[in-house]
């Protein structure tokens, strides 16, 4: 990767953009030998171990949200990227189906907002799951031409709802943040050295096999001292982590189902992108999300609950070719208020690779972030 980036810089072209295009290339497919796979790597010259605060989250608290004891987590960092933490699947076996079901069935429900709301009435999007389950459960689902509503969901916003046009949050566009997702996020951040994290905004991105996410930086939150969390479920993805400047060459890594990333400190405002979705290793996806594995005995106060066979039939078919990414952010510092005059951010990138691309959107020019196939973390 270092040699590749150096040659691109010497050639006078934006290294990040060129590497993004390299990994998004379909024919011939890119060489993935330089892509870091934390599930198979040991600390070395580029990868460094990260010590977590095991005392910050008790074993009981971790189990309540479907996590292993913190002492068993495998956490890594990247040399030269202080504040970036990669945690290789800290979830207990059999608990990912619960979180996937929440992402597909619960979080798209009203009063939360999704891309379909931009061009459909609230009545039409009231029960996205209910309107989609019959088709997705059908054995002939793979032969259908018409996509269900659930398959047309590209993004969902939670808490303070992100405005795709102004790239801002507003107190006038806010709904309660899901308690279960806040508890999961609060425990993750506490173990990473950030106690008291308040989950105030969430963006869920739903990727198909030909989707990508353009080069960008997450700077719309008013408080950048708090970390940004990213949870991945379903198919795998290539994640590119760059530097504080748009032209800095990125490091490529794989995100598998259950992996968690934390961007904090100097890494909180780094450019990043997702150029490609990859088939997940079949054995890993079956092991971690298989519906036949029962969740641990529920603890008092547990938010994780069993997923029914009917629900899993829909979820498992969905993730055969799709990925869900959940990012959670704290928007305001304690005691901070929104400015009276809302800020309007400039676009942090230009060109066709900016924003969410579902494959179809490459065939037509998009003029608004409100489109059904546009999203960005």
């Amino acid at each position: 990767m270092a040699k590749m980036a150096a040659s691109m810089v010497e050639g006078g072209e934006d290294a990040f953009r060129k590497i993004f295009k390299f990994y998004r290339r379909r024919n011939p497919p890119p060489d993935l030998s330089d892509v870091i796979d934390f599930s198979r790597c040991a600390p070395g010259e580029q990868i460094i171990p990260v010590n977590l605060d095991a005392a910050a989250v008790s074993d009981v608290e971790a189990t309540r949200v479907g996590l292993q004891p913190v002492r068993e987590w495998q956490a890594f960092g990247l040399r030269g990227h202080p504040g970036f933490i990669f945690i290789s699947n800290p979830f207990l076996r059999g608990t990912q189906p619960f979180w996937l079901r929440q992402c597909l069935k619960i979080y798209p429900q009203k009063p939360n907002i999704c891309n379909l709301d931009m061009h459909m009435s609230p009545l039409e999007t009231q029960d996205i799951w209910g309107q989609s389950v019959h088709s997705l459960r059908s054995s002939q689902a793979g032969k259908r031409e018409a996509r269900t509503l659930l398959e047309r969901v590209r993004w969902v916003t939670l808490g303070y709802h992100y405005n795709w046009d102004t790239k801002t949050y507003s107190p006038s566009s806010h709904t309660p943040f899901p308690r279960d997702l806040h508890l999961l996020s609060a425990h993750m951040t506490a173990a990473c050295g950030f106690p008291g994290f308040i989950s105030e905004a969430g963006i869920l991105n739903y990727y198909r096999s030909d989707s990508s996410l353009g080069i960008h930086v997450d700077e719309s939150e008013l408080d950048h001292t708090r970390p940004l969390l990213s949870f991945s479920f379903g198919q795998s993805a290539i994640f590119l982590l760059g530097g504080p400047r748009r032209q800095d060459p990125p490091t490529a890594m794989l995100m598998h189902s259950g992996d968690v990333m934390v961007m904090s400190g100097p890494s909180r405002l780094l450019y990043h992108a997702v150029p490609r979705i990859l088939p997940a290793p079949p054995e890993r996806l079956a092991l971690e999300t298989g519906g036949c594995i029962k969740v641990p005995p529920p603890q008092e106060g547990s938010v994780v609950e069993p997923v029914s066979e009917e629900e899993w039939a829909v979820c498992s078919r969905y993730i055969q070719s799709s990925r869900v990414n959940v990012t959670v952010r704290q928007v305001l510092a304690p005691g901070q208020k929104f400015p009276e005059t809302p800020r309007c951010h400039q676009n942090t990138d230009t060109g066709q690779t900016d924003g969410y691309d579902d494959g179809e959107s490459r065939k037509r020019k998009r003029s608004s972030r409100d489109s059904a196939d546009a999203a960005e973390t």
Side-chain angles (χ1 to χ4, degrees):
M1 176 63 70
K3 293 180 180 179
M4 182 194 304
S7 65
M8 294 175 183
V9 172
E10 291 172 2
E13 184 174 350
D14 182 330
F16 201 137
R17 183 177 297 280
K18 195 165 186 179
I19 293 174
F20 182 97
K21 292 178 179 178
F22 171 78
Y23 284 116
R24 194 173 68 169
R25 188 178 68 195
R26 298 292 166 180
N27 189 23
D31 178 5
L32 304 182
S33 59
D34 284 336
V35 181
I36 296 173
D37 187 346
F38 287 99
S39 68
R40 301 175 182 268
C41 294
E45 181 178 343
Q46 188 177 17
I47 302 172
I48 56 178
V50 172
N51 294 321
L52 302 177
D53 186 359
V57 182
S58 70
D59 293 358
V60 171
E61 290 174 322
T63 301
R64 285 172 178 167
V65 294
L67 295 172
Q68 303 174 42
V70 176
R71 62 182 176 277
E72 297 181 11
W73 297 3
Q74 294 182 309
F76 307 95
L78 290 175
R79 199 172 303 278
H81 292 82
F84 174 78
I85 304 174
F86 190 105
I87 304 173
S88 183
N89 187 19
F91 289 91
L92 290 165
R93 287 181 58 182
T95 60
Q96 284 190 49
F98 167 79
W99 292 108
L100 183 61
R101 185 201 64 181
Q102 298 299 92
C103 293
L104 298 180
K105 180 179 181 179
I106 304 302
Y107 299 151
Q109 291 183 3
K110 299 293 175 288
N112 301 327
I113 299 174
C114 73
N115 58 285
L116 300 180
D117 295 316
M118 303 299 104
H119 55 89
M120 298 176 68
S121 71
L123 184 62
E124 292 176 300
T125 61
Q126 184 63 39
D127 186 9
I128 294 174
W129 173 274
Q131 296 184 61
S132 306
V133 291
H134 177 74
S135 294
L136 286 173
R137 278 201 304 253
S138 170
S139 60
Q140 301 298 317
K143 300 181 180 180
R144 288 180 291 105
E145 293 185 3
R147 288 182 292 163
T148 64
L149 281 183
L150 185 59
E151 292 170 306
R152 292 167 58 190
V153 172
R154 291 290 163 262
W155 54 260
V156 169
T157 56
L158 311 172
Y160 287 115
H161 297 285
Y162 185 69
N163 186 309
W164 303 99
D165 290 326
T166 64
K167 299 185 182 297
T168 61
Y169 300 97
S170 167
S172 63
S173 182
H174 176 267
T175 55
F177 194 92
R179 176 180 175 273
D180 54 4
L181 185 56
H182 166 66
L183 288 175
L184 174 65
S185 303
H187 292 330
M188 292 294 311
T189 50
C192 292
F194 296 93
F197 179 84
I198 303 174
S199 308
E200 294 180 316
I203 298 178
L204 284 68
N205 283 334
Y206 299 78
Y207 296 80
R208 293 208 303 268
S209 59
D210 57 353
S211 300
S212 62
L213 181 68
I215 306 165
H216 68 285
V217 61
D218 296 283
E219 60 181 358
S220 297
E221 295 73 32
L222 276 66
D223 179 20
H224 296 150
T225 67
R226 310 302 283 172
L228 181 146
L229 284 82
S230 174
F231 301 92
S232 185
F233 301 107
Q235 295 298 309
S236 301
I238 296 177
F239 180 81
L240 298 179
L241 179 66
R245 300 177 304 168
R246 172 61 181 73
Q247 65 270 28
D248 292 333
T251 299
M253 63 197 79
L254 290 176
M255 286 196 74
H256 298 301
S257 189
D259 289 344
V260 181
M261 292 193 307
V262 179
M263 299 176 68
S264 66
S267 291
R268 175 62 178 79
L269 296 177
L270 298 185
Y271 282 88
H272 52 280
V274 177
R276 195 181 192 91
I277 305 302
L278 297 171
E283 68 282 358
R284 172 161 180 169
L285 196 61
L287 178 66
E288 301 300 344
T289 64
C292 61
I293 302 174
K294 297 184 181 298
V295 300
Q299 300 277 345
E300 181 180 354
S302 175
V303 301
V304 176
E305 59 186 21
V307 174
S308 70
E309 291 184 7
E310 292 78 12
E311 291 171 328
W312 182 242
V314 177
C315 293
S316 60
R317 181 173 294 280
Y318 183 91
I319 63 170
Q320 285 178 6
S321 60
S322 301
R323 170 180 181 257
V324 181
N325 179 249
V326 183
T327 56
V328 180
R329 310 107 185 283
Q330 180 169 332
V331 178
L332 302 169
Q336 186 178 17
K337 297 182 179 180
F338 284 96
E340 294 184 4
T341 303
R343 301 178 302 166
C344 185
H345 286 278
Q346 296 294 320
N347 196 346
T348 54
D349 184 35
T350 58
Q352 296 179 352
T353 56
D354 179 50
Y356 180 94
D357 185 348
D358 72 344
E360 295 179 1
S361 57
R362 287 196 292 273
K363 303 175 184 176
R364 56 193 182 273
K365 183 177 180 180
R366 291 294 187 179
S367 59
S368 171
R369 295 287 179 183
D370 295 61
S371 63
D373 298 315
E376 179 180 323
T377 59

